[in-house]
Amino acid sequence: MTTVRSTETTPVVPIPSGPARILTAAGATGTAASAFLAWTWTSGFPGDLTVYGYPGGLQWLTLAGALITLLLTLASYHLPGLRWTSPSGGNNGILYAALGAAATTWFTLIAISAELGGLANLEPGGWAAGATSLITLLGALGLPLDRHPRGAGQGITRYLGLRLAKVERPLPPVRELPSPIEVLLIVVAFATGLYAITFGLDTDYGELFTAYLLLAGFTVAALTKSGLVTRLRALAVKHRTVTTGAAFAAAAAFPFTQSSDQYTSVATNILIFATVALGLNIVVGLAGLLDLGYVAFLGVGAYAAALVSGSPASPIHVHFPFWAAMLTGAAVSIVFGVLIGAPTLRLRGDYLAIVTLGFGEIFRITMNNLNGTTGPKVTNGANGIPRIPDLVSPGFTIRGLHIPAFDFGRKHSIGGLELGRFSNYYLLMLLVTAFVVLVFARVGNSRIGRAWIAIREDETAAEAMGINGFRLKLLAFALGACMAGLAGTVQAHVSYTVTPDQYTFAEALPPNSAFLLAAVILGGMGTISGPLVGATLLFLIPKKLEFLSDYQLLAFGLALIVLMRVRPEGLIPNRRRQLEFHEADIPDQAASPETALTKAGA
Amino acid sequence: MTTTTLLDVRGVTMRFGGLTAVNQVDLTVGQGEIIGLIGPNGAGKTTFFNCLTGLYVPTEGTVSYRGTILPPKPHLVTRAGIARTFQNIRLFANMTVLENVLVGRHTRTREGLLSAVLRGPGYRRAEAESREKAMELLEFTGLAAKADHLSRNLPYGEQRKLEIARALASDPGLLLLDEPTAGMNPQETRAAEELVFAIRDRGISVLVIEHDMRFIFNLCDRTAVLVQGQKIVEGDRETVQSDERVITAYLGAPFDGTGSTASEAEK
């Protein structure tokens, strides 16, 4: 066995590795089987866990966790056909998977006991699941794991005495696959991803969502340790266009998996939130300007669109077609971005943050006061602009081909599948998101993007290299504002009403400036997928934690602290950021090819 | 000497409140010259550099380059053709070596936001040219093999070289080097000398601040000495080395036996 620098490969619990592996496999099989038993006697606990022979609700998650553990364990026996799940050949992945299954199972058992009032509510099936998941965990702890030598522990596992190493093992060389098969693998990966995300969105009670998050977190960690994620990422880099296409196809397929508008409305709001977060990432992640009043630009876009929407409450009695309304929102946002940016961007760092915070509040208070009594009558003050009509794309004819008008408020049937109002807006918003992603990707990797990063790294040096700092910062501000404004125009129509209170600095629910910033930092600054993932989680967690009522914000805060403790560089780190935060964990560049060689030779 | 004057500094004064850091300094740099600027610590050399490059707005005096007076804005100075390095290395630490040099190309390229989004043929041509030029400069400074490394991970000497490559990327006519050999060992200093000569051979004039006298006198056509903000002497090696004021500034005045300091101390 080769060891990566400054790690050792030893078990946590001293059991010979052979029996430990058997124990893990047997435990995982047992856990999977126990998901088919009744865990409680009453259907009073959501999801109906009382049926023998068929898993329900939370039991599905236990089953999935156990099967993933079993799969990785069997792969460690070098069974033909399973090797792909665990290219790194390490056992840490198995441990994470076992932790995931155990966490999900025990969360369920505790939730049952807590909600129904006592351990007496557990049926033998529940006890079996709890015991087998612990046996799996015990077995996994007995496997030879990649760990830090005593005294050199890193990260959160240090506190548990596990001393697990974060270093990724060098992977054996890839077997060349024909191109179509690689593309197929990407498609399969995205289809799986779509299924997993849809499952998370569709969870209709908080317990299921919490357990889902636990399982998802541990599974992602397990697959990262097993090397599968690295392999998939390599494929994605190789077939960039296919990957981007598959990602958007998967996202566009989402409304077709839904039978009602209940979750497409959530998904639409997530997309709006995520798009604004991505816009903020231009300002914060690329140019390094801390903007605490960014939600104001979403508001500017939304108000601009509302004013020209033909709403009876708007003092301007015009009704722009949808494309013109969107352009208006974006244009007005750019103007406000420049107006606010020009005086504030002469400041740096903390001072800029404070001033932007002030401007964000000025926007909200101004909107509150343009009500006809304390100011000119434009926005109806706190009542906002209600009854915004749905967007209608006008019909037109190109070369004899007639494109009918499209009313976003109506149901449409495509290929026998009903698409409701929110599905329409979801698809429109997806186009906006795609546009913002395109702009971010292309500008980020260009002369302008490099200048932004240079300003972020060292503004004085950047200016000495010929970069007009003020102008480029203003450009970042304006572009970010434009992206938020574009999302705002859709938001105004989706939610029918715009009120000033939707655009505050901090509140329990997104979008607001604090949440936007959190989404960017949590997801990963300077990346595209980071803010998208961060925004999705930050939108879903508070929404799905409503069952905790009074403790909702407490739990949310704890979740944030744990996330930032585990991954300070964000969920999807920028390559650079990762180097910054985990320099000690990454083996010397000179050392890695050598270890890779020995690994390949072994 | 009848070379054309590139940089013409007249009466530059920089005051910070009551402190005069640079006082009425005149300096000219001709085409293809290497000029040294020496002086004890705190003499105002770096402040003088900052006045030249627009980081500070001089209280009095003018800086002109190729006959036009430079506005005190760093990016306009760079665009006009004066590039600089910093005494304490200021690379873009989390960008790759190549990206650092590409940032230096900023003033010589025009591609804006729209062309970056559209990625037309013009954009791609300009981007390819920038990359080619940047790689050429990395070859020149011997960093081509490390183009994809993060600049923060380069060893110290190579970071200095990268700063020079980044400055050269803006196609300057005059390069200002602020202590390019600080912290280097003798071999590295020798290599740095070679590099400065090679830069001059590309037709670029050099104005260099340095404490290493051997380095300065090997390289420079002329050397100016700055003491307490004032230029006390300027000339070739012999002139500077034989000037008593320079010796006094570096080594202190000779002890005359009746100095007041001794009696002051007794009190």
Side-chain angles (χ1 to χ4, degrees):
Chain A
M1 232 14 210
T2 50
T3 48
V4 185
R5 226 177 220 214
S6 76
T7 59
E8 53 181 29
T9 308
T10 49
V12 176
V13 180
I15 320 175
S17 68
R21 216 177 287 280
I22 294 170
L23 202 61
T24 316
T29 317
T31 317
S34 71
F36 292 85
L37 304 175
W39 287 13
T40 183
W41 59 275
T42 165
S43 54
F45 187 78
D48 193 5
L49 310 183
T50 63
V51 187
Y52 279 91
Y54 190 79
L58 286 155
Q59 289 171 328
W60 280 111
L61 295 175
T62 295
L63 180 61
L67 288 181
I68 292 166
T69 317
L70 187 60
L71 198 65
L72 290 177
T73 315
L74 291 180
S76 73
Y77 278 110
H78 303 284
L79 286 190
L82 285 180
R83 196 81 183 92
W84 58 271
T85 57
S86 183
S88 78
N91 292 316
N92 287 30
I94 301 176
L95 176 62
Y96 276 100
L99 274 171
T104 315
T105 312
W106 279 91
F107 170 79
T108 311
L109 299 181
I110 292 168
I112 293 173
S113 314
E115 275 174 51
L116 299 179
L119 293 171
N121 295 297
L122 292 178
E123 289 281 305
W127 290 113
T132 48
S133 67
L134 285 187
I135 289 170
T136 321
L137 195 55
L138 182 71
L141 287 172
L143 295 171
L145 301 164
D146 294 334
R147 307 166 72 204
H148 289 289
R150 194 162 292 282
Q154 288 265 345
I156 205 150
T157 55
R158 180 179 47 191
Y159 305 117
L160 303 173
L162 300 177
R163 295 184 280 119
L164 292 180
K166 279 187 178 171
V167 180
E168 283 187 30
R169 282 167 161 251
L171 299 184
V174 198
R175 187 156 45 101
E176 278 297 319
L177 290 170
S179 198
I181 293 189
E182 290 189 340
V183 170
L184 192 69
L185 282 177
I186 294 173
V187 172
V188 169
F190 272 101
T192 318
L194 172 69
Y195 180 79
I197 289 170
T198 310
F199 186 93
L201 270 178
D202 291 0
T203 50
D204 39 18
Y205 45 102
E207 295 86 346
L208 187 58
F209 181 73
T210 314
Y212 164 83
L213 268 193
L214 281 173
L215 182 65
F218 279 112
T219 305
V220 170
L223 296 182
T224 310
K225 293 295 166 198
S226 81
L228 187 60
V229 172
T230 316
R231 277 286 148 82
L232 282 176
R233 200 179 296 149
L235 275 187
V237 169
K238 199 169 159 194
H239 303 275
R240 193 169 283 278
T241 335
V242 177
T243 310
T244 320
F248 278 101
F254 172 73
F256 297 96
T257 66
Q258 300 293 307
S259 50
S260 77
D261 254 358
Q262 191 185 355
Y263 295 115
T264 42
S265 82
V266 175
T268 311
N269 283 312
I270 289 178
L271 268 189
I272 292 171
F273 181 41
T275 308
V276 183
L278 196 53
L280 179 62
N281 202 16
I282 295 178
V283 182
V284 175
L286 291 183
L289 308 166
L290 190 51
D291 186 347
L292 294 181
Y294 189 69
V295 83
F297 297 122
L298 178 70
V300 169
Y303 264 101
L307 287 173
V308 298
S309 68
S311 157
S314 159
I316 312 168
H317 297 287
V318 289
H319 190 171
F320 280 12
F322 97 102
W323 56 268
M326 288 182 80
L327 287 183
T328 311
V332 174
S333 289
I334 292 178
V335 170
F336 270 80
V338 172
L339 281 181
I340 293 175
T344 54
L345 287 175
R346 297 176 193 279
L347 302 170
R348 287 188 189 183
D350 306 351
Y351 305 100
L352 176 71
I354 294 167
V355 173
T356 50
L357 176 64
F359 268 103
E361 286 301 285
I362 287 172
F363 168 77
R364 186 175 62 84
I365 295 166
T366 309
M367 292 303 111
N368 255 321
N369 283 300
L370 294 177
N371 57 5
T373 48
T374 49
K377 188 172 168 60
V378 184
T379 64
N380 283 330
N383 295 329
I385 302 176
R387 282 178 291 153
I388 299 168
D390 277 306
L391 286 172
V392 177
S393 146
F396 53 91
T397 308
I398 305 175
R399 292 181 194 168
L401 181 72
H402 180 67
I403 312 240
F406 188 88
D407 185 345
F408 282 83
R410 294 247 179 82
K411 274 196 176 177
H412 294 272
S413 172
I414 296 175
L417 285 163
E418 287 268 298
L419 286 186
R421 174 173 184 272
F422 283 108
S423 298
N424 299 332
Y425 279 117
Y426 174 86
L427 292 173
L428 173 68
M429 199 52 222
L430 191 62
L431 286 181
V432 175
T433 310
F435 173 72
V436 174
V437 167
L438 180 89
V439 169
F440 187 96
R442 291 199 155 176
V443 176
N445 178 25
S446 75
R447 170 176 173 267
I448 304 286
R450 284 193 298 268
W452 282 337
I453 298 171
I455 290 173
R456 184 189 74 195
E457 294 288 315
D458 186 336
E459 190 166 345
T460 307
E463 295 224 328
M465 289 307 115
I467 290 167
N468 185 342
F470 177 69
R471 204 169 128 189
L472 272 147
K473 286 195 287 182
L474 198 58
L475 189 66
F477 222 62
L479 187 67
C482 172
M483 301 302 154
L486 212 53
T489 56
V490 180
Q491 193 212 25
H493 289 89
V494 170
S495 58
Y496 291 118
T497 309
V498 285
T499 56
D501 292 340
Q502 286 169 303
Y503 309 104
T504 53
F505 169 68
E507 216 188 318
L509 287 173
N512 55 59
S513 295
F515 267 69
L516 284 167
L517 199 63
V520 170
I521 291 168
L522 194 76
M525 288 214 280
T527 61
I528 291 175
S529 39
L532 298 182
V533 173
T536 311
L537 279 179
L538 282 188
F539 195 92
L540 281 181
I541 293 176
K543 198 163 185 67
K544 299 280 184 182
L545 286 183
E546 271 164 4
F547 77 103
L548 289 172
S549 56
D550 284 351
Y551 300 106
Q552 183 192 346
L553 275 178
L554 179 71
F556 179 58
L558 282 177
L560 285 191
I561 291 171
V562 169
L563 273 173
M564 285 326 281
R565 182 65 191 83
V566 179
R567 290 190 80 98
E569 72 279 24
L571 291 171
I572 300 181
N574 189 314
R575 185 172 47 91
R576 300 185 178 116
R577 289 249 144 213
Q578 189 156 31
L579 288 171
E580 217 171 297
F581 282 101
H582 292 297
E583 210 141 31
D585 288 339
I586 290 163
D588 288 0
Q589 269 154 334
S592 57
E594 183 189 307
T595 41
L597 271 181
T598 23
K599 181 80 192 145
Chain B
M1 227 178 270
T2 53
T3 49
T4 53
T5 307
L6 210 55
L7 180 77
D8 189 5
V9 183
R10 292 219 182 133
V12 161
T13 302
M14 184 75 216
R15 288 196 195 93
F16 298 104
L19 177 84
T20 308
V22 177
N23 194 3
Q24 294 293 332
V25 175
D26 298 323
L27 188 75
T28 57
V29 179
Q31 182 82 50
E33 274 189 311
I34 301 178
I35 307 293
L37 186 62
I38 61 172
N41 285 325
K45 304 181 297 292
T46 299
T47 308
F48 179 63
F49 256 35
N50 287 346
C51 289
L52 299 190
T53 52
L55 282 178
Y56 293 157
V57 183
T59 324
E60 282 167 33
T62 56
V63 179
S64 39
Y65 179 77
R66 291 190 201 276
T68 48
I69 291 178
L70 289 174
K73 289 261 196 258
H75 66 272
L76 295 180
V77 171
T78 309
R79 182 188 288 184
I82 301 179
R84 71 170 291 175
T85 65
F86 292 90
Q87 183 178 0
N88 45 342
I89 301 174
R90 299 187 84 154
L91 288 169
F92 307 122
N94 291 311
M95 296 177 92
T96 66
V97 168
L98 180 65
E99 284 171 331
N100 265 279
V101 183
L102 284 172
V103 169
R105 292 294 302 158
H106 190 86
T107 44
R108 302 295 168 232
T109 42
R110 288 273 73 85
E111 281 60 46
L113 200 62
L114 206 60
S115 64
V117 175
L118 297 177
R119 303 247 152 149
Y123 171 86
R124 272 175 286 173
R125 201 179 319 119
E127 194 78 344
E129 274 170 20
S130 287
R131 263 162 213 280
E132 202 176 304
K133 171 87 185 172
M135 280 314 291
E136 191 262 317
L137 283 169
L138 288 178
E139 298 275 355
F140 176 69
T141 47
L143 295 172
K146 297 202 169 175
D148 292 327
H149 288 226
L150 284 190
S151 67
R152 60 185 295 146
N153 294 340
L154 291 186
Y156 184 81
E158 291 185 349
Q159 294 199 357
R160 286 255 175 236
K161 282 186 188 172
L162 177 55
E163 250 206 331
I164 293 174
R166 184 180 68 175
L168 288 176
S170 66
D171 291 339
L174 172 66
L175 181 64
L176 309 184
L177 300 175
D178 197 346
E179 297 198 23
T181 70
M184 283 186 173
N185 63 31
Q187 288 97 316
E188 286 173 323
T189 308
R190 207 66 59 238
E193 260 175 46
E194 295 303 315
L195 185 60
V196 175
F197 278 127
I199 289 168
R200 198 250 303 268
D201 293 342
R202 290 167 78 106
I204 299 166
S205 309
V206 179
L207 176 59
V208 52
I209 293 179
E210 198 36 84
H211 279 302
D212 185 332
M213 292 303 153
R214 189 180 298 164
F215 178 82
I216 281 285
F217 292 127
N218 280 348
L219 274 178
C220 299
D221 303 316
R222 275 183 294 132
T223 304
V225 185
L226 213 59
V227 177
Q228 291 184 345
Q230 272 170 319
K231 190 173 85 174
I232 53 172
V233 69
E234 183 185 340
D236 57 15
R237 179 178 185 153
E238 284 70 36
T239 324
V240 172
Q241 280 182 331
S242 60
D243 194 289
E244 274 186 18
R245 288 168 298 178
V246 178
I247 298 165
T248 312
Y250 273 94
L251 301 176
F255 183 63
D256 58 5
T258 58
S260 55
T261 40
S263 50
E264 294 278 311
E266 275 170 15
K267 281 183 185 174

